[in-house]
């Protein structure tokens, strides 16, 4: 499978095929290249005790590169839950240049409006991107292990179905995040993941030899499996090979021992 993300010369990763297929759509992921603030890179998050003015500057810069200015962004206070908000143009600016106005306890966003950029923060968790090429609905969700096993991916699909989306029109991308070789988890995580699988199905985790009750867990494969179970055609699902822990291009919560910056995923219709 070809890599869905292509790095631009300004250091951002864009979803290549969507940008080509859908004029006006901007969708991608930031790296840690460039930027201001205490993490020595492009930290995009307000909640990691960084310099506020530095984060604002980083956001303004990315807004120019992504084609939707930072005052028209929407952001969330993310809590590893599965709450999803339908946002409209009137929400523009919430959580854009400050944290207090962000949507509280929200890990998924979608819209039909243009001129608004949906953003979510990450350092290893999985960015999910959604695009319905008939209704032109777009969305994003933050899926760490909790959101993933909680089913935030299928929850977004369910909402879109209620709004009239057909499965064959929905396209999804699973973005840069910690890979299955870098991500070891305990049995309690696997106990939740396994509930989604039938007995003889291929699973997205493997036991670690010589480490009892420890597993390598591929959150990318897991989310892909859930999309297929939700009815998304396989050919509509693209999965990245970019790992936030393997690649020094990204902040990684695990690799950097917890104290690190955040990238954002972004998706929006330019006006
Ligand atoms: Zn990795």
């Amino acid at each position: 499978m070809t890599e869905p993300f292509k790095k631009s010369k300004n250091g951002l990763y864009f979803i290549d095929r969507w940008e080509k297929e859908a004029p006006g759509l901007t969708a991608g992921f930031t790296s840690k290249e460039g930027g201001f603030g205490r993490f020595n890179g492009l930290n995009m998050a307000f909640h990691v005790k960084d310099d506020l003015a530095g984060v604002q500057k980083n956001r303004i810069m990315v807004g120019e590169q992504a084609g939707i200015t930072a005052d028209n962004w929407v952001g969330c206070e993310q809590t590893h839950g599965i709450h999803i908000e339908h946002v409209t143009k009137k929400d523009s600016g919430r959580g854009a240049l400050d944290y207090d106005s962000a949507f509280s306890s929200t890990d998924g966003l979608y819209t039909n409006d243009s001129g608004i950029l949906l953003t979510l923060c990450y350092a290893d968790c999985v960015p999910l991107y959604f695009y319905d090429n008939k209704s032109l609905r777009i969305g994003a969700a933050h899926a760490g292990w909790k959101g993933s096993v909680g089913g935030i991916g299928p929850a977004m699909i369910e909402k879109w179905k209620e709004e009239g989306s057909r499965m064959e029109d929905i396209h999804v991308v699973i973005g840069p995040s910690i890979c299955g070789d870098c991500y070891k988890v305990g049995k309690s995580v696997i106990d939740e993941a396994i509930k989604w699988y039938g007995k003889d199905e291929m699973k997205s985790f493997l036991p670690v030899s010589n480490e009892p009750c420890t597993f390598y867990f591929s959150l990318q494969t897991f989310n892909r499996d859930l999309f297929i179970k939700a009815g998304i055609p396989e050919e509509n699902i693209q999965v990245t090979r970019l790992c936030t822990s393997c690649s020094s291009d990204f902040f990684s919560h695990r690799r950097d021992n917890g104290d690190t910056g955040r990238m954002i995923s972004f998706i929006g219709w330019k006006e």
Side-chain angles (χ1 to χ4, degrees), residues 178-179 181-182 243 245-246:
I178 193 164
C179 77
D181 294 335
C182 290
C243 167
S245 173
C246 291

